[in-house]
Amino acid sequence: MNSPVNTPAPQHEGLISAEERPASGAWLAKAHTDAAARLTQMGLPKRRDEYWKWTRPDALLAEQAAPAAAFDYGDEQPVFHAVDRLKIVFVDGVFDAEASDDLSGEGLEIERLAEAAKADIHWASGLYGALETRGHNPVDRPLAAHNSAMATDGVLIRATGQVSRPVSVMYRHISDTSDAILHHVVKVEEGASLTLLENGTAAARLSMVTEIDVADGASFHHVRAQGRDHGRHVLTHIFARLGRESVFKSFTMAVNGMLTRNECVIEILGDDAIAHVAGAALGDGADGAFLHDDTVFVTHDAVNCESRQVFKKVLKNGATGIFQGKILVKAGAQKTDGYQKSQSLLLDEDAQFLAKPELEIYADDVACSHGSTSGAIDEEALFYLRSRGVPERIATDLLVLAFLADTIEEIEDADIADDIVSRLEAWLERHRG
Amino acid sequence: MLSIKGLEVKLEDEDKQILKGVDLEVPAGKVHAIMGPNGSGKSTLSYVLSGRDGYEVTAGSATLDGEDLLDLDPEERAAAGLFLAFQYPVEIPGVGNMTFLRTAVNAQRKARGEDEMSAADFLKFIRAKAKDLKIDADMLKRPVNVGFSGGEKKRNEILQMAMLEPKMCILDETDSGLDVDAMKLVSEGVNALRAEGRSFLVITHYQRLLDHIKPDVVHIMARGRIVKTGGPELALEVENNGYADILAELDA
Ligand SMILES: Nc1ncnc2c1ncn2[C@@H]1O[C@H](COP(=O)(O)OP(=O)(O)OP(=O)(O)O)[C@@H](O)[C@H]1O
Ligand SMILES: [Mg+2]
């Protein structure tokens, strides 16, 4: 990722030298410098890092992005097509003003990072790199610090009221060799609400960090579809901080992809808050290598909060699914309701699922549970459906969708959920047999 | 309609013979009952006819209106007009009952070269059938059989049968788990379907169901064979005397 790892600059001790850091306005320049220092202190992920034992970081660290062809969607309308939304378009990781809508809406401020960086003071300066800094827990996430140090593009979104139209960030991947770094900051002010939609692959290789501050009584809904590219290498980090009585819900659909690692770090700081994070990933190794990794860390540091992690993977033909998830309940975080479920459906014997579910609890009055399973299609159910005349392939699809159903339930908007389901159905239909 | 000749079946993974030469003819428009001791192979027969995995047919044949059933996939047997009301209906979390039935109805229509049923027509159709069986709208929306009571599951089987309009209906202990009123309801549902071109094979342990669904012929199955065939009076005889005499005759 534009990584200078292999080209050490002798005059500096850091991993990223001052020259290599992007030029930008005062507050962002400082944020870049600070992040570079964090990265230097942490060092890059190493082979022996427990945290990278299943997903090898090599492709993410390589000096150059492995070329990856952009998926050709043909006449197909992309997901969220029918949703009335405010569109923000990035092409190969660069903001495209012409393709984007006017960046304004009621109760909403949106700026391009590159523009906002010119200001001396900015609301985002207190968040950019700050939530990432808090998120190096229970492990360092050096590639997130790398992103904070290098990012020059992204959007800063501030919701000050009930924003009815979703903000939709569309990532277009055109160049086979694009290597993108994007960094977004989202602030949902007290009592405000915002829906963020994201779709597309963005680049051959992508590092994306999204820092999300959900203030007291605010709500944030996020639905993401990571595109259909086969050759992509994608690393995303969400760092979220939740205030009192706030709601955070994030759902990600991922299909295809040589390497996709989605990290989500949520810190619940206010009482009575709700955090749900869900993902549905589908991979068929027959399309090329497939590896999907969900790495999630939820910290409860307040009373009477609820967190849910629901991750499902459908894997076949050598596809690999990974889940590393942890709930940390700090001392004093009483009445915590923490729930974690990671399951995979292996459609054949070649696919594999690796899971590391963890709970760490320092409060006594809590209800936490976790479960991780992997299994095949239920033969009894399959026969029952077939005995009613449903052909095997359709019956299998029905059962796969049923398996994914509780991730879909985390999508608030029914039309958007239907849209996502129809994409999943279409994927299954294309990958039958 | 249904013709079974010398059917021998063993378990696929085990050297265990379960059906040892079943002969059975159910003509069109008739209701035949099968009774028999636990473990005699009644459910196995119904599963083998509907194409469940795990069994191996080692001899004999089974045809539906002349068509070899044993060669077909389960869904093809269904499309050919075979229906099995399960002794133990399967719960399918995440699949809505309504979605399931609509998919099934349309898949069968498609297999027969008919047009799919429109959403509106389907809704009208299912509502009417559900009402007859006192199945409320809520049960239609819920996942297939999940959290249904034993009796509700059985009623749901009959609803599926009513929707799919098969020509050969096999009912495996549909009466078990039903209360007196539900038994009446289910029997009425079955009787409403009785027609010239439709046959029934009713597997049961009790005369009570046969009071409602009057069989033309009663078979006794024991040790993997049909060992006795008679009229409705045979069911009464079993009700009164059990299987001891019949089994003794076999041993003799
Ligand atoms: N998959 C299987 N594995 C092992 N044994 C089996 C299997 N399926 C059937 N059997 C055996 O075959 C025999 C016949 O079983 P089946 O369920 O057909 O009996 P049944 O006549 O329906 O009995 P019931 O009246 O109790 O329902 C039993 O001994 C049963 O244990
Ligand atoms: Mg039985």
Side-chain angles (χ1 to χ4, degrees):
Chain A
M1 58 212 28
N2 308 340
S3 166
V5 197
N6 302 317
T7 52
Q11 66 272 41
H12 295 278
E13 283 174 1
L15 280 170
I16 300 172
S17 69
E19 291 92 84
E20 282 158 334
R21 278 200 297 280
S24 46
W27 70 267
L28 188 58
K30 180 169 186 314
H32 282 153
T33 312
D34 293 351
R38 280 196 296 281
L39 172 63
T40 299
Q41 213 235 322
M42 289 177 228
L44 290 164
K46 287 172 240 15
R47 278 201 152 257
R48 62 174 183 276
D49 284 352
E50 173 78 8
Y51 221 50
W52 290 93
K53 76 172 170 191
W54 287 327
T55 299
R56 306 263 47 142
D58 308 50
L60 299 169
L61 297 171
E63 200 175 343
Q64 302 226 309
F71 187 86
D72 180 5
Y73 287 85
D75 299 336
E76 189 187 320
Q77 293 291 3
V79 67
F80 309 136
H81 168 71
V83 179
D84 177 27
R85 62 206 160 128
L86 190 155
K87 294 190 209 97
I88 301 172
V89 179
F90 286 86
V91 178
D92 286 316
V94 179
F95 178 71
D96 183 340
E98 224 155 89
S100 301
D101 288 338
D102 178 24
L103 298 188
S104 64
E106 208 164 318
L108 195 59
E109 283 171 31
I110 304 175
E111 269 171 290
R112 184 183 177 187
L113 176 63
E115 285 300 313
K118 293 176 188 157
D120 287 334
I121 42 170
H122 197 277
W123 62 263
S125 67
L127 293 171
Y128 185 103
L131 299 189
E132 170 249 297
T133 301
R134 300 179 67 95
H136 299 292
N137 188 1
V139 292
D140 288 341
R141 302 170 201 270
L143 294 182
H146 177 274
N147 177 297
S148 297
M150 300 298 287
T152 52
D153 221 337
V155 281
L156 310 177
I157 304 171
R158 183 153 83 126
T160 53
Q162 310 289 324
V163 183
S164 52
R165 256 173 109 204
V167 172
S168 171
V169 186
M170 304 161 75
Y171 305 102
R172 293 201 183 123
H173 172 201
I174 294 173
S175 154
D176 285 4
T177 54
S178 53
D179 194 8
I181 295 182
L182 285 168
H183 195 118
H184 306 309
V185 177
V186 178
K187 187 169 174 125
V188 191
E189 300 278 11
E190 197 171 326
S193 66
L194 176 73
T195 298
L196 176 67
L197 308 176
E198 293 181 283
N199 72 293
T201 293
R205 182 167 66 174
L206 169 71
S207 163
M208 184 158 79
V209 166
T210 309
E211 293 173 288
I212 304 163
D213 189 35
V214 190
D216 293 350
S219 67
F220 174 76
H221 291 109
H222 178 219
V223 182
R224 169 166 70 170
Q226 292 184 295
R228 300 233 314 258
D229 294 44
H230 294 295
R232 70 164 181 248
H233 290 89
V234 168
L235 172 67
T236 74
H237 287 87
I238 288 173
F239 294 100
R241 179 168 71 182
L242 273 63
R244 187 171 39 80
E245 288 171 29
S246 67
V247 174
F248 172 97
K249 285 192 180 181
S250 173
F251 166 88
T252 299
M253 169 176 71
V255 301
N256 310 348
M258 197 171 270
L259 187 159
T260 307
R261 168 138 159 167
N262 294 329
E263 298 199 21
C264 184
V265 182
I266 301 172
E267 201 182 3
I268 307 177
L269 293 179
D271 297 345
D272 305 305
I274 292 173
H276 291 191
V277 50
L282 292 79
D284 184 345
D287 296 332
F290 174 91
L291 182 147
H292 184 95
D293 175 341
D294 288 298
T295 290
V296 184
F297 183 64
V298 176
T299 302
H300 281 264
D301 196 6
V303 174
N304 198 33
C305 295
E306 172 190 301
S307 73
R308 300 227 167 299
Q309 301 172 35
V310 186
F311 287 88
K312 302 272 183 112
K313 295 176 175 64
V314 178
L315 306 166
K316 63 196 287 191
N317 290 317
T320 299
I322 292 163
F323 176 81
Q324 307 185 102
K326 182 160 180 173
I327 306 173
L328 169 67
V329 181
K330 289 198 169 176
Q334 303 295 9
K335 307 252 181 271
T336 287
D337 174 4
Y339 174 84
Q340 181 194 82
K341 179 151 90 177
S342 68
Q343 297 181 323
S344 72
L345 185 59
L346 308 178
L347 294 181
D348 56 40
E349 273 151 31
D350 293 335
Q352 68 168 341
F353 178 56
L354 305 161
K356 189 178 171 195
E358 290 178 283
L359 289 177
E360 196 175 321
I361 301 173
Y362 297 101
D364 48 21
D365 183 15
V366 300
C368 282
S369 65
H370 65 158
S372 182
T373 61
S374 79
I377 284 277
D378 178 349
E379 288 296 331
E380 284 290 315
L382 189 64
F383 172 62
Y384 190 71
L385 293 171
R386 294 177 74 189
S387 78
R388 290 343 184 200
V390 182
E392 185 174 12
R393 293 168 154 209
I394 296 175
T396 304
D397 288 1
L398 270 179
L399 294 174
V400 173
L401 287 172
F403 167 75
L404 296 172
D406 52 3
T407 65
I408 306 296
E409 275 166 27
E410 297 299 338
I411 302 172
E412 204 78 351
D413 183 283
D415 291 336
I416 292 176
D418 287 348
D419 192 356
I420 293 287
V421 168
S422 73
R423 309 291 163 161
L424 295 170
E425 277 171 345
W427 190 94
L428 291 170
E429 216 175 300
R430 288 190 301 269
H431 291 83
R432 278 180 189 162
Chain B
M1 164 98 36
L2 180 67
S3 171
I4 304 170
K5 292 200 169 84
L7 190 64
E8 293 180 23
V9 171
K10 68 179 273 292
L11 291 178
E12 208 170 46
D13 308 330
E14 259 177 76
D15 211 14
K16 185 171 174 184
Q17 196 74 24
I18 298 175
L19 300 184
K20 298 166 184 165
V22 174
D23 291 293
L24 186 66
E25 297 286 334
V26 184
K30 298 293 180 194
V31 176
H32 283 213
I34 298 188
M35 302 179 84
N38 293 130
S40 56
K42 304 181 296 297
S43 293
T44 302
L45 175 65
S46 70
Y47 284 142
V48 169
L49 290 175
S50 46
R52 192 187 200 217
D53 277 345
Y55 306 101
E56 192 185 320
V57 176
T58 50
S61 67
T63 59
L64 185 64
D65 280 341
E67 191 175 3
D68 182 3
L69 280 177
L70 303 177
D71 246 11
L72 303 178
D73 282 334
E75 55 267 36
E76 293 171 328
R77 300 180 197 205
L82 185 76
F83 181 92
L84 168 63
F86 283 53
Q87 180 172 4
Y88 304 108
V90 181
E91 297 189 5
I92 312 183
V95 177
N97 217 1
M98 196 91 118
T99 309
F100 160 53
L101 268 168
R102 200 163 156 225
T103 309
V105 167
N106 282 331
Q108 291 206 14
R109 287 180 158 237
K110 202 169 154 205
R112 295 192 207 109
E114 298 163 16
D115 282 343
E116 291 197 354
M117 204 184 261
S118 76
D121 286 349
F122 176 81
L123 214 59
K124 240 165 68 187
F125 189 39
I126 193 167
R127 283 203 179 124
K129 301 284 180 195
K131 198 168 161 231
D132 292 343
L133 289 160
K134 295 218 168 79
I135 289 174
D136 61 27
D138 179 56
M139 250 170 77
L140 295 177
K141 282 189 215 131
R142 273 158 56 186
V144 179
N145 294 324
V146 177
F148 287 24
S149 75
E152 284 171 346
K153 283 181 184 165
K154 296 303 176 78
R155 272 188 279 155
N156 200 31
E157 293 293 288
I158 302 307
L159 171 68
Q160 292 170 35
M161 191 169 88
M163 296 294 296
L164 295 168
E165 301 177 317
K167 58 186 184 194
M168 181 68 231
C169 310
I170 305 174
L171 280 62
D172 191 357
E173 292 196 30
T174 299
D175 51 342
S176 69
L178 291 182
D179 66 38
V180 180
D181 295 332
M183 169 109 61
K184 225 174 136 223
L185 217 62
V186 161
S187 307
E188 279 164 11
V190 172
N191 287 331
L193 284 170
R194 289 183 74 157
E196 242 168 67
R198 185 173 289 129
S199 311
F200 292 84
L201 189 59
V202 181
I203 299 170
T204 183
H205 287 295
Y206 304 108
Q207 168 61 34
R208 209 167 40 161
L209 180 70
L210 303 180
D211 288 340
H212 295 291
I213 308 173
K214 300 232 155 47
D216 299 295
V217 174
V218 174
H219 307 274
I220 306 297
M221 188 165 195
R223 299 176 191 167
R225 272 194 203 98
I226 302 294
V227 296
K228 197 164 182 178
T229 295
E233 72 287 347
L234 189 52
L236 286 168
E237 192 187 315
V238 167
E239 180 92 346
N240 295 328
N241 307 329
Y243 296 107
D245 295 350
I246 297 168
L247 292 176
E249 250 173 75
L250 278 182
D251 288 330

